[in-house]
Amino acid sequence: MMRVREAMSGNVLVVGPEHTLRQAAGMMAERGVGSAVVIDPDSEGVGIMTERDVLKAVGAGLDVDVERTAAHLTWDVVYAGPDWSVHEAAEAMSRGGFRHLVVLDGSEVVGMISVRDIVRVWVGAPAVASI
């Protein structure tokens, strides 16, 4: 049985709460990822910014050069553990209606697992290099 630690990406994009949405979107596009971890030293926990969050802001007509990630991210994050099975991660994503899980080992961010990672594992395909 494949574990999250074997399927996740350990190279997690981290952005700050004061980055603009354009900056966050640019970094995600550059790395070829659909999400970024947001760590705010002034709050507890870890947030997540996804391409969906950026899309909602653009669709609402907000200025991506002014809006900060802190105002558009999800703080109520469901975390995966590195020893979860890939199936458990898929079930959590399905229940929550999201495509990314931050992987924590204790309180430390150790990776990110996405639907793409799970599909890759299930079909036995090699990882695709980022853009």
Side-chain angles (χ1 to χ4, degrees), residues 34-79:
S35 65
V37 167
V38 182
I39 299 176
D40 184 349
D42 295 330
S43 77
E44 293 184 29
V46 174
I48 187 169
M49 165 70 57
T50 68
E51 56 204 357
R52 186 179 300 167
D53 297 319
V54 176
L55 184 61
K56 285 179 184 177
V58 170
L62 301 176
D63 186 343
V64 295
D65 292 314
V66 173
E67 294 294 319
R68 305 292 175 191
T69 60
H72 298 279
L73 56 88
T74 301
W75 284 110
D76 188 19
V77 178
V78 174
Y79 305 105

Side-chain angles (χ1 to χ4, degrees), residues 4 8-9 26 41 56 67 70 79-80 89 92 97 99 103 118 122 129-130:
V4 165
M8 71 183 190
S9 170
K56 285 179 184 177
E67 294 294 319
Y79 305 105
R99 297 174 294 160
V103 183
I118 291 171
W122 284 348
S130 296

Side-chain angles (χ1 to χ4, degrees), residues 1-24:
M1 177 172 24
M2 174 86 54
R3 297 285 168 205
V4 165
R5 77 171 69 256
E6 300 167 276
M8 71 183 190
S9 170
N11 190 10
V12 178
L13 174 62
V14 177
V15 300
E18 292 302 315
H19 280 101
T20 65
L21 292 181
R22 182 179 306 279
Q23 289 171 321

